[in-house]
Amino acid sequence: MTAEELRKQFPILSREVYGKPLIYLDNAATTQRSESVIRALSDSALLHNGNTHRAVYALAGEATRAYECARVDVRDFIDAASVDEIVFTSGTTASINLVAYSFGDKFIGSGDEIIVAESEHHSDIIPWQLLAQRKGAKIVVMPVEESGALDLEKLESLFNRRTKLVCVAHVSNVLGLINPIKEIASMAHSHGVPVLVDGAQAVAHLKVSVRDLDCDFYAFSGHKMYAATGTGVLYAKKEWLEQMPPFIGGGEMIDTVSWEGTTYAPIPFKFEAGTPNINSVPTFVPAIGLIRSLDGSEAAFGLDKIKNFVYNALSSDERIVLRGTTQNLDEKVPLFSFSVKGVHHEDLALLLDKQGVAVRSGHMCAQPLMTRYGVSGMVRASFAPYNTQEEAQAFILALDKSINMLK
Amino acid sequence: MSLEEAKQAVVDDFAMFDEWLDKYEYIIGLGKNLEPFPEDKKTEDRLINGCQSRVWLDCRARDGKLWFTADSDAIITKGIISLLIGVYSGRPAKEIAGDDFAFVNVIGLSENLSPTRANGLSSMIATIKKIAGDYAG
Ligand SMILES: Cc1ncc(COP(=O)(O)O)c(C=O)c1O
């Protein structure tokens, strides 16, 4: 399958903005949805809508099956040991907050330390700050080097008796570099410390095996991997989920309830209180199907070529400061954040928009990292397999034109 | 030039361009030609609240008329504030305070900015009106 063939499956990609073809390069914020995903969403509402896990009638059974099929596919997708380790949430943010509350409640106390990477998204910073405030715990920052790579030697020196958790993204949403999760997990485990991985930017691009990574928690969002919005996953090793107390109480997460006391449903249901996102969760199935169909495809190969082309174009332009640099592009996903000397990032994004090119600008929910690089924001272009070489070239031309206008 | 004429001149200038990219080129030109703003005037109290990029606005009154100067760290924002003060600077406080600033809607500026920038534009207008209102008493 080529990028052109793949594009046909995404209706929105044929639309125009300001009379120009849309060039969508904000895939890291949210990917577009394929017809198969849109159909799964509408079928669920049109044909199979019933509440899950509760009633005996046909519709409820269909809805429950669709929901649980998604869980099986997600288990396979990230190579978890069991479906019991897959908790559906509303997104990465909700998944991380679940751990911060539930794991944090039980395992983190006054004076304990949580190591958080400097390059994290606010979703993987603020839940830990809130936890630290509740418990009197402390956040310890794992620094990034100038290139954006994590400083593993420094990390080793951060562990002590009070370290209780390491939090790090698989891929930073600003830098696009693939962090060495396996090494980090093995280092942390040698100190008896579990690791939480924010996989939001990884799942659309990397083949993830949580067993191979040996991480304890892995969080991601459906909408960044072609599935519907409001869907997310928390993977957690069974031994953690079984020890963790429920976070939100309500329907569906119980075994028996009485005024004397309540017993909880087994995992993962203990963590899925209330009516889940019954119409959207089934979209994981076509979304994962789509990602699988891209494996070894021409579109995937084309995306690698785009990555090389854009990386070289941006890093060889003296007006541009590219962040997240590496000698080996196999260690980077096609996501590029940069600044242009003497030009405000929002001005640049605005002129690109008027040429049909949608990019992100601003602090990108990573203010500590912006501070590290001494800027208030950057511009980010992030590519998906449905982007074409022509689009990449048009982006570089439009960027040049915009810089010339602003300088 | 009366206030009405000044506003109409901007509307006419904008109408010359079909493409928003060209309108932006015009705005950027206004930003680049804005007279330099002294560094020591870039103080907190001259910052306009509610803009994503930083915008400083200073005002001096002479003979009941207001004279504005401004700066921004983003050139498009600077062009926009330049456009506004180009129309309103040198006019009586009372006239500015009583104006509806509707010409910015006529040229379609707010719809063609990002939502954050559109908020910034509203804040610029509100600040100019407030300063004028305070002087007009
Ligand atoms: C690295 C990273 N973590 C977390 C998030 C938050 O994801 P969501 O808003 O879907 O919960 C994002 C998305 O912006 C992200 O890129």
Coordinates of all heavy atoms in Angstrom, one line a residue, chain A residues 18 20 342-348 350-355 361-363 401-402 404-407, chain B residues 19-22 24-26 28 32 52-54 73-78 111-114 116-117:
Chain A
Y18 N -8.6 27.3 2.9 CA -8.3 28.6 2.1 C -8.1 28.3 0.6 O -7.2 28.9 0.0 CB -7.0 29.3 2.7 CG -6.9 29.3 4.2 CD1 -6.0 28.6 4.8 CD2 -7.8 30.1 4.9 CE1 -5.9 28.6 6.2 CE2 -7.7 30.1 6.3 CZ -6.8 29.4 6.9 OH -6.7 29.4 8.3
K20 N -6.7 25.8 -0.7 CA -5.5 25.1 -1.0 C -5.6 23.7 -0.4 O -6.3 23.5 0.6 CB -4.3 25.8 -0.3 CG -4.1 27.2 -0.8 CD -2.8 27.7 -0.3 CE -2.4 29.1 -0.9 NZ -3.3 30.2 -0.4
G342 N 15.1 34.7 15.6 CA 14.5 36.0 15.4 C 13.0 36.0 14.9 O 12.5 37.0 14.5
V343 N 12.4 34.8 14.9 CA 11.0 34.7 14.4 C 10.2 34.0 15.5 O 10.6 33.1 16.1 CB 11.0 33.8 13.1 CG1 9.6 33.5 12.7 CG2 11.7 34.6 12.0
H344 N 9.0 34.6 15.7 CA 8.1 34.0 16.7 C 7.4 32.8 16.2 O 6.9 32.8 15.0 CB 7.1 35.1 17.1 CG 6.4 34.8 18.4 ND1 5.3 33.9 18.5 CD2 6.6 35.1 19.7 CE1 4.9 33.8 19.7 NE2 5.7 34.5 20.5
H345 N 7.4 31.7 17.0 CA 6.8 30.5 16.5 C 5.4 30.6 16.0 O 5.0 29.9 15.0 CB 6.9 29.4 17.6 CG 6.5 29.8 18.9 ND1 5.2 29.7 19.3 CD2 7.2 30.4 20.0 CE1 5.1 30.2 20.6 NE2 6.3 30.6 21.0
E346 N 4.6 31.4 16.7 CA 3.2 31.5 16.3 C 3.1 32.3 14.9 O 2.2 31.9 14.1 CB 2.4 32.2 17.4 CG 0.9 31.8 17.2 CD 0.0 32.3 18.3 OE1 0.4 32.2 19.5 OE2 -1.1 32.8 18.0
D347 N 3.9 33.2 14.7 CA 3.9 33.9 13.4 C 4.2 32.9 12.2 O 3.5 32.9 11.2 CB 5.0 35.0 13.3 CG 4.6 36.2 14.1 OD1 3.5 36.4 14.5 OD2 5.5 37.1 14.3
L348 N 5.1 32.0 12.5 CA 5.5 31.0 11.5 C 4.3 30.1 11.2 O 4.0 29.8 10.1 CB 6.7 30.3 12.1 CG 7.7 29.6 11.1 CD1 8.1 30.6 10.0 CD2 8.9 29.2 11.9
L350 N 1.2 30.6 11.7 CA 0.1 31.3 11.1 C 0.3 31.4 9.6 O -0.6 31.1 8.8 CB 0.0 32.6 11.7 CG -1.4 33.2 11.8 CD1 -1.6 33.9 13.1 CD2 -1.7 34.1 10.7
L351 N 1.5 31.7 9.2 CA 1.8 31.8 7.7 C 1.8 30.5 7.1 O 1.3 30.3 5.9 CB 3.1 32.5 7.5 CG 3.2 34.0 7.9 CD1 4.5 34.6 7.4 CD2 2.0 34.8 7.3
L352 N 2.2 29.4 7.8 CA 2.1 28.1 7.2 C 0.7 27.7 7.0 O 0.3 27.1 6.0 CB 2.9 27.1 8.1 CG 4.4 27.1 8.0 CD1 5.0 26.4 9.2 CD2 4.9 26.6 6.7
D353 N -0.1 28.0 8.0 CA -1.6 27.7 7.9 C -2.2 28.3 6.7 O -3.0 27.7 6.0 CB -2.3 28.2 9.2 CG -3.8 28.0 9.1 OD1 -4.2 26.9 8.8 OD2 -4.5 29.0 9.3
K354 N -1.8 29.6 6.4 CA -2.4 30.2 5.3 C -2.0 29.6 4.0 O -2.5 29.9 2.9 CB -2.1 31.7 5.3 CG -2.7 32.5 6.5 CD -4.2 32.5 6.5 CE -4.8 33.2 7.6 NZ -5.3 32.3 8.7
Q355 N -0.9 28.8 4.0 CA -0.5 28.1 2.8 C -1.0 26.6 2.8 O -0.6 25.8 2.1 CB 1.0 28.1 2.7 CG 1.5 29.5 2.6 CD 3.0 29.6 2.7 OE1 3.8 29.3 1.8 NE2 3.5 30.1 3.9
S361 N 2.3 24.9 17.1 CA 3.2 25.9 17.7 C 2.9 26.2 19.1 O 1.7 25.9 19.6 CB 3.1 27.2 16.9 OG 1.8 27.7 17.0
G362 N 3.9 26.6 19.9 CA 3.7 26.9 21.3 C 4.6 26.1 22.2 O 5.6 25.5 21.7
H363 N 4.2 25.9 23.4 CA 5.1 25.2 24.4 C 4.8 23.7 24.3 O 5.6 22.9 24.9 CB 4.9 25.7 25.8 CG 3.5 25.7 26.3 ND1 2.8 24.6 26.5 CD2 2.7 26.7 26.8 CE1 1.6 24.9 27.0 NE2 1.5 26.2 27.1
K401 N 9.4 30.2 2.5 CA 8.7 31.4 2.1 C 8.3 32.1 3.4 O 8.4 33.4 3.4 CB 7.5 31.0 1.3 CG 6.6 32.1 0.9 CD 5.6 31.7 -0.1 CE 4.7 32.9 -0.5 NZ 3.8 32.7 -1.6
S402 N 7.8 31.4 4.4 CA 7.3 32.1 5.6 C 8.4 32.8 6.3 O 8.3 33.9 6.8 CB 6.6 31.1 6.6 OG 5.7 30.3 5.9
N404 N 11.2 33.9 5.0 CA 11.6 35.1 4.3 C 10.6 36.2 4.5 O 11.0 37.4 4.5 CB 11.7 34.7 2.8 CG 12.9 33.9 2.5 OD1 13.9 33.9 3.2 ND2 12.9 33.1 1.4
M405 N 9.3 35.9 4.6 CA 8.4 37.0 4.9 C 8.6 37.6 6.2 O 8.4 38.8 6.4 CB 6.9 36.4 4.8 CG 6.4 36.3 3.4 SD 4.8 35.4 3.4 CE 3.8 36.8 4.0
L406 N 9.0 36.8 7.2 CA 9.0 37.3 8.6 C 10.3 38.0 8.9 O 10.4 38.7 9.9 CB 8.7 36.2 9.6 CG 7.3 35.6 9.5 CD1 7.2 34.3 10.2 CD2 6.3 36.6 10.1
K407 N 11.4 37.6 8.2 CA 12.7 38.1 8.6 C 12.9 39.6 8.2 O 12.5 39.9 7.1 CB 13.8 37.2 7.9 CG 14.1 36.0 8.6 CD 15.2 36.2 9.6 CE 15.7 34.8 10.1 NZ 16.6 35.0 11.2
Chain B
E19 N -5.7 37.1 -1.3 CA -5.2 36.0 -0.5 C -4.8 36.5 0.9 O -4.1 37.5 1.0 CB -3.9 35.4 -1.1 CG -4.2 34.6 -2.4 CD -3.7 33.2 -2.3 OE1 -3.3 32.8 -1.2 OE2 -3.8 32.5 -3.2
W20 N -5.1 35.7 1.9 CA -4.7 36.1 3.2 C -3.2 36.1 3.4 O -2.7 36.9 4.2 CB -5.4 35.2 4.3 CG -6.6 35.9 4.7 CD1 -7.9 35.8 4.2 CD2 -6.7 37.0 5.7 NE1 -8.7 36.7 4.8 CE2 -8.0 37.4 5.7 CE3 -5.7 37.6 6.5 CZ2 -8.4 38.5 6.5 CZ3 -6.2 38.7 7.3 CH2 -7.5 39.1 7.3
L21 N -2.5 35.3 2.7 CA -1.1 35.3 2.8 C -0.5 36.7 2.4 O 0.3 37.3 3.1 CB -0.4 34.3 1.9 CG 1.0 33.9 2.2 CD1 1.1 33.3 3.6 CD2 1.5 32.9 1.2
D22 N -1.2 37.3 1.4 CA -0.7 38.7 1.0 C -1.2 39.7 2.0 O -0.5 40.7 2.3 CB -1.3 39.0 -0.4 CG -0.8 38.0 -1.4 OD1 0.3 37.6 -1.3 OD2 -1.6 37.7 -2.3
Y24 N -1.3 39.2 5.1 CA -0.3 39.1 6.2 C 1.0 39.7 5.8 O 1.6 40.3 6.7 CB -0.1 37.6 6.5 CG -1.1 37.2 7.6 CD1 -2.1 36.3 7.3 CD2 -1.0 37.8 8.9 CE1 -3.1 36.0 8.3 CE2 -2.0 37.5 9.8 CZ -3.0 36.6 9.5 OH -3.9 36.3 10.4
E25 N 1.3 39.7 4.6 CA 2.6 40.3 4.1 C 2.4 41.8 4.4 O 3.4 42.5 4.9 CB 2.8 40.1 2.6 CG 4.1 40.6 2.1 CD 4.8 39.5 1.3 OE1 4.2 38.9 0.4 OE2 6.0 39.3 1.5
Y26 N 1.3 42.4 4.1 CA 1.0 43.8 4.4 C 1.1 44.1 5.9 O 1.7 45.0 6.3 CB -0.4 44.1 3.8 CG -1.0 45.4 4.2 CD1 -0.8 46.6 3.5 CD2 -1.9 45.5 5.3 CE1 -1.3 47.8 3.8 CE2 -2.5 46.7 5.6 CZ -2.2 47.8 4.9 OH -2.8 49.0 5.2
I28 N 2.7 42.4 8.2 CA 4.1 42.2 8.6 C 4.9 43.5 8.2 O 5.7 44.0 9.0 CB 4.8 41.0 7.9 CG1 4.1 39.7 8.5 CG2 6.3 41.0 8.1 CD1 4.4 38.5 7.6
K32 N 7.1 45.8 10.6 CA 8.5 46.2 10.4 C 8.7 47.7 10.4 O 9.8 48.1 10.8 CB 9.0 45.6 9.1 CG 9.2 44.0 9.2 CD 9.7 43.4 7.9 CE 9.9 42.0 8.0 NZ 10.0 41.3 6.7
Q52 N -0.8 36.0 23.6 CA 0.1 34.9 23.8 C 1.6 35.4 23.6 O 2.5 35.1 24.3 CB -0.2 33.8 22.8 CG -0.4 32.5 23.5 CD 0.1 31.3 22.7 OE1 0.5 31.4 21.6 NE2 0.1 30.2 23.4
S53 N 1.8 36.3 22.6 CA 3.0 36.9 22.4 C 3.0 38.2 23.3 O 1.9 38.7 23.6 CB 3.4 37.2 21.0 OG 2.2 37.5 20.3
R54 N 4.1 38.8 23.6 CA 4.1 39.9 24.5 C 3.9 41.2 23.6 O 4.5 41.4 22.6 CB 5.4 40.0 25.2 CG 5.5 38.9 26.3 CD 6.8 39.0 27.2 NE 8.0 39.0 26.4 CZ 9.2 39.3 26.9 NH1 9.3 39.7 28.1 NH2 10.2 39.2 26.1
D73 N 7.1 41.0 20.6 CA 8.1 40.1 20.2 C 7.7 39.2 19.0 O 8.5 38.5 18.5 CB 8.6 39.3 21.4 CG 7.5 38.6 22.1 OD1 6.3 38.7 21.6 OD2 7.7 38.0 23.1
A74 N 6.5 39.3 18.6 CA 6.1 38.6 17.4 C 5.7 39.6 16.3 O 4.9 40.6 16.5 CB 4.9 37.7 17.7
I75 N 6.2 39.4 15.1 CA 6.1 40.5 14.1 C 4.6 40.7 13.6 O 4.2 41.8 13.3 CB 7.1 40.2 12.9 CG1 7.2 41.5 12.0 CG2 6.8 39.0 12.1 CD1 8.0 42.6 12.6
I76 N 3.9 39.6 13.5 CA 2.5 39.7 13.1 C 1.7 40.5 14.1 O 0.9 41.4 13.8 CB 1.9 38.4 12.7 CG1 2.6 37.8 11.5 CG2 0.4 38.5 12.5 CD1 2.1 36.4 11.0
T77 N 1.9 40.2 15.4 CA 1.2 40.9 16.4 C 1.6 42.4 16.4 O 0.8 43.3 16.5 CB 1.6 40.3 17.8 OG1 1.4 38.9 17.7 CG2 0.8 40.9 18.9
K78 N 2.9 42.6 16.1 CA 3.4 44.0 16.0 C 2.7 44.7 14.9 O 2.3 45.9 15.0 CB 4.9 43.9 15.8 CG 5.6 45.2 16.0 CD 7.1 44.9 16.1 CE 7.9 46.2 15.9 NZ 9.3 46.0 16.0
E111 N -11.3 36.6 12.3 CA -11.6 35.2 11.8 C -10.3 34.6 11.3 O -10.2 33.3 11.2 CB -12.6 35.1 10.7 CG -14.0 35.7 11.1 CD -14.1 37.0 10.5 OE1 -13.8 38.0 11.1 OE2 -14.6 37.1 9.3
N112 N -9.4 35.4 10.8 CA -8.2 34.8 10.2 C -7.0 34.7 11.1 O -5.9 34.4 10.6 CB -7.9 35.6 8.9 CG -8.7 35.2 7.8 OD1 -8.5 34.1 7.2 ND2 -9.8 35.9 7.5
L113 N -7.2 35.0 12.4 CA -6.2 34.8 13.3 C -6.5 33.4 14.1 O -7.6 32.9 14.0 CB -6.2 35.9 14.3 CG -5.8 37.3 13.8 CD1 -6.1 38.3 14.8 CD2 -4.3 37.3 13.4
S114 N -5.5 32.9 14.7 CA -5.7 31.8 15.6 C -6.6 32.2 16.7 O -6.6 33.4 17.0 CB -4.4 31.2 16.1 OG -3.8 32.2 16.9
T116 N -6.2 32.1 19.9 CA -5.4 32.8 20.9 C -5.1 34.3 20.4 O -5.1 35.2 21.2 CB -4.1 32.1 21.2 OG1 -3.4 31.8 20.0 CG2 -4.3 30.9 22.1
R117 N -4.7 34.4 19.1 CA -4.4 35.7 18.6 C -5.6 36.6 18.5 O -5.6 37.8 18.7 CB -3.8 35.5 17.2 CG -2.4 35.1 17.1 CD -1.5 36.4 17.2 NE -0.1 36.1 17.5 CZ 0.8 35.8 16.5 NH1 0.5 35.8 15.3 NH2 2.1 35.6 16.9

